[in-house]
């Protein structure tokens, strides 16, 4: 009886795409089964792969849209004027510190933007970071490529009010706002029609603040209405002085006009210049002088004979750091308290006489 020959695996051409040129022309039985996948099974595998890819893509888009994924955007595509900013001004010293941090450590926190369409994005929060990166791009041409993009998170606020609230909350947490700045953004949002009233704006923008804090912000609204534009340093207005001024504006409707006139009479930047030539102390002195009660010297008792005043000279101590000498129709003030602030107060008091 003839011996049957056992057949081995069929040889595979060297050009087979599974192996390529130079591959072993023999494959195992398991490999052969894997190579000869039925068409219907291959279609099923492809369909599953496409479904998995679509699911991943949808999840990535969802993460991007909901703000769980940051993206790099061209700096030139960000519109910083999309919202009315709540910050009155930028502290150059603090901005310089931020620029140094960005150069050393890179951008650690993304900005918040909303998609305006057409490749443009509106800034919601992160104004200081955007300004710092724009200055780095302009100030370091050799690093222009590094600062050509900015890391951002895409937000889709349901309303403009929610966008403003996000901006305010971010600034409250990171740098804090003065009461003037808080009141100014309330007034600006109402004027722009974002909110119907100051009360609605206060409750939306500062909903997490205490009632007492919202009340103080409301008090500063009268200062914003009277002096916004007249003050060069509104962010330097102290809380206590501001509350006193607010009460005075309420009691005297003409006070705002008079005070704005005096403030505008102070030195302003020269034409073509942006440097403010007047100080916050000078502005504060003007406000304090107009709020202070007018003082009058006591004339009820004439100086006794033999006193310095009788001979034409009188020296009065007004404190440890201030003395006044009256002689022959002249008044001389001496002491460490004689500074620019006292000068402004004195001039304003004399003008008010």
């Amino acid at each position: 009886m003839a011996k049957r020959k056992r057949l081995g695996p069929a040889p595979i051409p060297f050009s087979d795409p599974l192996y390529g040129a130079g591959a072993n022309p023999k494959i195992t039985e398991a490999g052969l089964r894997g190579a000869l996948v039925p068409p219907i099974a291959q279609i099923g595998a492809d369909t599953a792969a496409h479904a998995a890819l679509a699911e991943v893509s949808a999840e990535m888009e969802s993460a991007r849209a909901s703000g769980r994924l940051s993206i790099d955007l061209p700096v030139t595509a960000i519109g910083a004027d999309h919202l009315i900013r709540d910050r009155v001004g930028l502290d150059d010293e603090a901005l310089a510190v931020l620029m140094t941090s960005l150069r050393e450590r890179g951008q650690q926190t993304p900005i918040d933007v909303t998609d305006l369409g057409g490749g443009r994005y509106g800034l919601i929060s992160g104004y200081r970071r955007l300004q710092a990166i724009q200055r780095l791009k302009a100030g370091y041409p050799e690093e222009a490529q590094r600062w050509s993009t900015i890391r951002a998170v895409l937000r889709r606020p349901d309303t403009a009010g929610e966008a403003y609230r996000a901006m305010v909350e971010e600034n409250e947490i990171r740098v804090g706002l003065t009461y003037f700045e808080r009141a100014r953004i309330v007034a600006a949002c109402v004027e722009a029609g974002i909110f119907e009233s100051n009360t609605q704006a206060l409750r939306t923008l500062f909903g997490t603040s205490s009632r007492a804090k919202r009340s103080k912000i409301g008090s500063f609204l009268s200062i914003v209405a009277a002096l916004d534009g007249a003050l060069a340093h509104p962010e330097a207005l102290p809380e206590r002085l501001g509350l006193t001024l607010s009460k005075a504006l309420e009691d005297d409707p003409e006070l705002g006009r008079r005070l704005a006139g005096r403030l505008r009479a102070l030195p302003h930047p020269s034409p073509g210049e942006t440097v403010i030539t007047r100080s916050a102390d000078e502005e504060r002195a003007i406000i304090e002088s107009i709020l202070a009660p007018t003082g009058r010297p006591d004339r009820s008792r004439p100086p006794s004979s033999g006193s310095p005043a009788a001979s034409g000279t009188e020296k009065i101590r007004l404190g440890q750091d201030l003395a006044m000498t009256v002689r022959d129709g002249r008044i001389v003030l001496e002491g460490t308290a004689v500074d620019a602030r006292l000068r402004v107060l004195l001039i304003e008091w004399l003008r008010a006489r």
Side-chain angles (χ1 to χ4, degrees):
M1 186 174 187
K3 188 176 180 180
R4 296 181 180 179
K5 186 176 180 180
R6 191 181 183 115
L7 297 177
I12 295 180
F14 290 100
S15 60
D16 190 285
L18 291 174
Y19 293 90
N24 191 335
K26 294 185 178 181
I27 63 173
T28 64
E29 184 177 354
L32 182 60
R33 285 199 304 269
L36 302 178
V37 178
I40 188 65
Q42 186 63 48
I43 293 173
D46 291 344
T47 302
H50 283 299
L53 181 60
E55 184 178 354
V56 171
S57 299
E59 177 60 27
M60 291 289 288
E61 180 60 28
S62 174
R64 178 176 176 269
S66 62
R68 292 180 285 122
L69 182 68
S70 63
I71 54 178
D72 288 338
L73 298 174
V75 173
T76 54
I78 311 297
D81 57 351
H82 172 61
L83 300 180
I84 303 168
R85 310 318 305 177
D86 52 351
R87 296 297 300 186
V88 173
L90 290 175
D91 185 335
D92 287 337
E93 184 177 347
L95 199 60
V97 172
L98 177 57
M99 291 168 65
T100 300
S101 174
L102 286 167
R103 292 193 72 200
E104 293 177 353
R105 303 175 61 234
Q107 185 185 352
Q108 301 296 306
T109 306
I111 63 174
D112 290 343
V113 299
T114 186
D115 194 343
L116 302 178
R120 296 291 299 170
Y121 298 86
L123 181 69
I124 294 178
S125 62
Y127 183 72
R128 291 171 66 251
R129 274 160 282 163
L130 177 62
Q131 289 293 311
I133 288 179
Q134 287 176 337
R135 293 192 185 187
L136 285 171
K137 183 180 179 182
Y140 297 90
E142 68 280 8
E143 300 179 10
Q145 183 62 32
R146 179 185 180 188
W147 308 116
S148 62
T149 60
I150 187 169
R151 189 169 304 135
V153 169
L154 186 64
R155 303 290 186 188
R156 291 182 178 175
D158 295 332
T159 64
E162 287 300 316
Y164 277 97
R165 179 173 181 173
M167 175 185 66
V168 168
E169 289 180 348
E170 199 256 0
N171 274 339
E172 287 279 22
I173 293 172
R174 296 191 179 280
V175 293
L177 297 170
T178 65
Y179 277 101
F180 187 95
E181 289 170 326
R182 294 178 182 118
R184 184 175 178 274
I185 191 62
V186 168
C189 285
V190 174
E191 183 179 353
I194 307 300
F195 302 104
E196 295 181 357
S197 66
N198 291 336
T199 301
Q200 183 187 18
L202 279 168
R203 289 177 177 174
T204 302
L205 297 177
F206 301 96
T208 58
S209 301
S210 65
R211 181 178 298 180
K213 184 174 183 178
R214 289 199 299 270
S215 177
K216 290 179 181 179
I217 298 172
S219 296
F220 270 73
L221 284 170
S222 60
I223 303 176
V224 172
L227 303 180
D228 192 21
L231 284 169
H233 305 277
E235 73 284 354
L237 184 63
E239 175 187 339
R240 179 174 296 181
L241 180 59
L243 293 174
T244 302
L245 175 59
S246 174
K247 182 64 169 60
L249 289 169
E250 181 182 341
D251 295 339
D252 183 358
E254 292 298 315
L255 176 61
R257 181 183 58 80
R258 297 198 309 272
L259 182 53
R262 293 192 185 183
L263 289 169
R264 290 191 174 98
L266 289 175
H268 278 68
S270 302
E273 296 181 353
T274 58
V275 177
I276 297 174
T277 57
R278 67 196 204 195
S279 68
D281 286 341
E282 288 177 307
E283 290 189 336
R284 189 161 57 248
I286 292 288
I287 297 172
E288 290 174 344
S289 69
I290 204 169
L291 294 178
T294 303
R296 301 289 184 187
D298 185 3
R299 305 291 189 185
S300 59
R301 291 182 298 173
S304 58
S305 60
S307 67
S311 61
T313 301
E314 182 181 11
K315 188 167 186 176
I316 305 171
R317 296 293 303 181
L318 301 175
Q320 293 183 351
D321 52 358
L322 182 62
M324 179 176 69
T325 301
V326 181
R327 177 187 300 168
D328 299 330
R330 298 173 57 193
I331 297 177
V332 178
L333 296 176
E334 301 173 286
T336 58
V338 180
D339 54 15
R341 180 172 177 274
L342 180 62
R343 174 180 175 274
V344 172
L345 282 171
L346 184 58
I347 290 174
E348 288 303 312
W349 180 79
L350 291 172
R351 285 176 177 173
R353 287 174 58 85

